[in-house]
C-alpha cells in the first residue's frame, strides 16, 4: 500500500485538441486580444521561418501533456509529421492529418496522403488515424467533401475548425472582411468559393455525413447550430479551448447553452501559440472560474469522458469503470475542507503528482 496523502484520483484527462508542433513556444504568439486574422499571419510567418522538423517541439509537447495528466490526445499534425514519436509515446493519440488546400491544384497529392494516413501499414500501431480539413477559409469545398467521404468510408474521426472568429463569420456571410484580405495576400482568394449568405450551419450539415466530427472551437455557433449539434450528439461534438478563447477575447462562450441542449462538449488546450501551457487541468480550472453555475462533476466530465466520446473511444477510456483501461491520474489537493470535493480540485493550483497509463495495444485493446 502506498499512502498518497491528500489527493484526488481521477480518470486520465483527455485533451481533445492540440497542435504539439508549437510546444517549443514559451509564450503565445502576438498579444492578448489581437485580431484573429493578424494572429494567423504570425502563424504562417512562423511556418515559413522554422528550420528543420518539428521533432523537438512535439517531443516536448508529448512530455508536457503527460506531466499535466493527459492520457488521451487529439493532435493535429502536418503532412510531414513524425509517426515514430507517437508510436513510442504512452499517450493514446488520435493523429488528425491536417489538410489545407484552398485551391483545387493542391488537392490531389493531399488526398493521396490522407488515404495512406487512414490505412497505415504495419501492425504495431499505437496511434489512431483521423483527418482534419482545417477551416472554411483554408479548405476547398471539394476537399472538404472528399475528406467527409473518406472519414465515412474508413470510419475515422474528422476535426474541423469552425465558427472560431467573427472574421470567419463575416467571410461566410458576405465574402469580405479581414479574411478576404489575407486570402488575397496569399493569392488563394477565389470569390466563387465564398458565395455570400453562408453560415456555420451549412458546414455542420455537410460534416454530419462524416463517421464522427469534432467541431473545434465553435465560439460563435448560434442557437440553431447548437440545436443541430445536440440532434447529432452521437457522432458530432464541440471542442472548447477555454484559455485560447480568452486569449482572443472572443464573445462569451455559449457553454451553458450547449450543455443544456445536450451537445457533447469536450475540452482542448489548442496550441502554445495561443495558450500558456498544455495543461488540460488548467483548462478545467478556467471553466470552473468562469462558469460558477456549472457543477464540478460536469466540468470533470468535459475534460475526461466527453473528450473520449468526441474522439470515438468512450467505451475504452474517459471514466474509471470495469471493462475500460485503467488510465488514471493523482492530483494533490489543498489542506482544507469543502462541501464539494470538486472545489478542492478546481479552486487550486496543485499539480498532478502521478499518472498510470495502460498503453493501448496495436489490436486496439
Ligand atoms: Zn486548432
Amino acid at each position: 500500500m502506498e499512502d498518497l496523502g491528500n489527493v484526488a484520483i481521477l480518470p486520465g484527462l483527455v485533451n481533445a485538441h492540440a497542435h504539439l508542433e508549437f510546444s517549443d513556444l514559451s509564450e503565445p504568439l502576438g498579444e492578448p486580444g489581437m485580431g484573429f486574422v493578424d494572429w494567423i499571419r504570425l502563424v504562417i510567418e512562423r511556418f515559413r521561418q522554422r528550420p528543420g522538423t518539428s521533432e523537438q517541439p512535439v517531443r516536448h509537447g508529448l512530455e508536457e501533456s503527460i506531466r499535466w495528466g493527459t492520457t488521451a490526445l487529439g493532435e493535429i499534425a502536418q503532412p510531414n509529421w513524425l509517426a515514430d514519436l507517437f508510436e513510442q509515446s504512452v499517450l493514446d493519440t488520435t493523429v488528425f492529418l491536417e489538410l489545407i488546400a484552398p485551391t483545387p491544384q493542391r488537392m490531389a497529392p493531399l488526398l493521396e496522403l490522407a488515404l495512406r494516413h487512414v490505412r497505415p501499414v504495419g501492425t504495431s500501431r499505437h496511434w489512431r488515424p483521423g483527418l482534419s480539413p482545417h477551416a472554411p477559409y483554408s479548405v476547398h469545398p471539394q476537399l472538404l467533401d472528399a475528406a467527409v467521404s473518406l472519414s465515412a468510408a474508413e470510419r475515422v474521426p474528422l476535426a474541423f475548425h469552425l465558427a472560431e472568429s467573427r472574421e470567419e463569420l463575416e467571410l461566410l456571410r458576405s465574402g469580405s472582411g479581414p479574411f478576404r484580405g489575407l486570402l488575397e495576400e496569399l493569392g488563394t482568394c477565389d470569390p466563387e468559393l465564398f458565395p455570400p449568405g453562408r453560415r456555420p450551419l451549412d458546414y455542420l450539415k455537410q460534416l454530419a455525413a462524416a463517421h464522427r466530427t469534432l467541431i473545434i472551437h465553435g465560439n460563435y455557433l448560434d442557437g440553431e447550430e447548437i440545436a443541430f449539434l445536440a440532434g447529432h450528439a452521437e457522432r458530432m461534438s464541440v471542442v472548447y479551448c477555454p484559455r485560447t478563447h480568452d486569449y482572443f477575447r472572443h464573445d462569451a462562450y455559449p457553454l451553458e447553452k450547449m450543455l443544456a441542449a445536450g451537445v457533447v462538449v469536450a475540452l482542448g488546450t489548442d496550441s502554445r501559440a495561443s495558450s500558456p501551457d498544455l495543461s488540460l487541468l488548467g483548462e478545467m480550472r478556467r471553466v470552473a472560474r468562469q462558469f460558477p453555475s456549472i457543477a464540478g462533476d460536469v466540468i470533470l466530465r468535459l475534460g475526461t469522458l466527453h473528450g473520449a466520446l468526441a474522439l470515438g473511444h468512450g467505451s475504452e477510456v474517459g471514466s474509471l469503470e470495469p471493462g475500460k483501461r485503467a488510465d488514471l491520474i493523482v492530483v494533490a489537493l489543498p489542506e482544507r475542507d469543502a462541501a464539494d470535493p470538486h472545489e478542492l480540485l478546481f479552486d487550486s493550483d496543485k499539480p498532478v503528482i502521478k499518472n498510470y497509463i495502460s498503453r493501448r495495444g496495436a489490436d486496439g485493446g
Side-chain angles (χ1 to χ4, degrees):
M1 287 287 280
E2 185 181 358
D3 183 0
L4 295 166
N6 192 20
V7 299
I9 297 175
L10 310 175
L13 307 183
V14 182
N15 182 356
H17 183 63
H19 305 250
L20 295 186
E21 66 191 306
F22 292 97
S23 304
D24 54 335
L25 287 172
S26 55
E27 50 188 53
L29 294 175
E31 53 198 75
M34 75 184 297
F36 185 71
V37 173
D38 284 337
W39 179 83
I40 294 265
R41 283 191 175 88
L42 295 179
V43 170
I44 294 171
E45 192 55 36
R46 196 178 136 80
F47 272 121
R48 285 181 178 153
Q49 285 175 356
R50 192 166 60 201
T53 73
S54 56
E55 178 175 354
Q56 279 317 316
V58 170
R59 199 181 283 285
H60 183 88
L62 287 166
E63 284 163 11
E64 188 186 340
S65 299
I66 292 168
R67 198 163 64 241
W68 287 111
T70 291
T71 58
L73 177 72
E75 157 74 346
I76 309 291
Q78 295 301 314
N80 63 350
W81 70 289
L82 299 163
D84 278 0
L85 298 180
F86 295 91
E87 191 65 43
Q88 290 154 16
S89 171
V90 295
L91 279 186
D92 179 349
T93 303
T94 303
V95 179
F96 293 89
L97 181 71
E98 186 160 72
L99 307 173
I100 295 185
T103 56
Q105 293 82 348
R106 295 194 214 156
M107 271 173 40
L110 259 188
L111 280 172
E112 219 166 278
L113 204 62
L115 195 60
R116 284 208 300 276
H117 183 76
V118 299
R119 292 181 191 161
V121 285
T123 50
S124 68
R125 181 154 62 87
H126 290 285
W127 54 273
R128 316 180 197 227
L131 297 172
S132 180
H134 174 246
Y137 49 87
S138 57
V139 172
H140 192 277
Q142 284 171 22
L143 177 60
L144 186 58
D145 264 339
V148 167
S149 301
L150 192 54
S151 158
E154 301 292 328
R155 305 180 64 78
V156 298
L158 191 146
F160 187 64
H161 294 72
L162 184 65
E164 182 171 7
S165 65
R166 288 181 215 93
E167 293 90 331
E168 177 195 323
L169 294 196
E170 187 183 357
L171 181 71
L172 297 184
R173 196 171 51 235
S174 67
S176 60
F179 259 120
R180 171 77 181 258
L182 174 67
L183 297 177
E184 282 171 357
E185 265 167 57
L186 295 172
T188 59
C189 189
D190 177 353
E192 279 180 26
L193 296 185
F194 299 103
R198 285 176 61 82
R199 53 187 286 215
L201 186 62
D202 300 318
Y203 287 88
L204 294 180
K205 287 178 178 167
Q206 192 178 356
L207 292 161
H211 171 62
R212 174 174 294 287
T213 304
L214 294 86
I215 298 298
I216 309 302
H217 302 299
N219 298 330
Y220 293 93
L221 292 172
D222 67 17
E224 198 182 342
E225 289 154 352
I226 288 170
F228 184 89
L229 284 174
H232 293 77
E234 289 276 290
R235 292 187 299 111
M236 297 184 91
S237 58
V238 173
V239 184
Y240 170 33
C241 301
R243 293 179 303 171
T244 288
H245 178 276
D246 289 356
Y247 185 71
F248 293 106
R249 301 197 181 129
H250 290 303
D251 293 355
Y253 195 79
L255 181 59
E256 287 138 313
K257 249 190 225 164
M258 287 184 185
L259 294 175
V263 175
V264 175
V265 182
L267 298 178
T269 57
D270 213 340
S271 81
R272 292 195 62 166
S274 56
S275 183
D277 56 48
L278 297 172
S279 169
L280 201 82
L281 188 57
E283 302 295 349
M284 293 157 90
R285 285 171 171 164
R286 179 65 60 92
V287 175
R289 253 208 323 279
Q290 284 188 349
F291 297 92
S293 66
I294 298 177
D297 62 325
V298 173
I299 295 171
L300 185 58
R301 264 203 302 283
L302 303 185
T304 54
L305 186 58
H306 281 199
L309 291 169
L311 291 167
H313 26 280
S315 62
E316 298 169 50
V317 292
S319 56
L320 298 177
E321 19 181 341
K324 288 194 177 185
R325 288 209 317 276
D327 287 352
L328 52 92
I329 63 168
V330 180
V331 183
L333 295 182
E335 295 298 334
R336 57 185 163 86
D337 277 329
D340 178 355
H342 297 94
E343 193 186 312
L344 297 178
L345 180 65
F346 295 137
D347 187 14
S348 152
D349 57 2
K350 297 277 187 190
V352 173
I353 56 172
K354 258 182 193 302
N355 47 29
Y356 303 87
I357 309 179
S358 48
R359 194 168 193 233
R360 177 175 175 266
D363 58 354

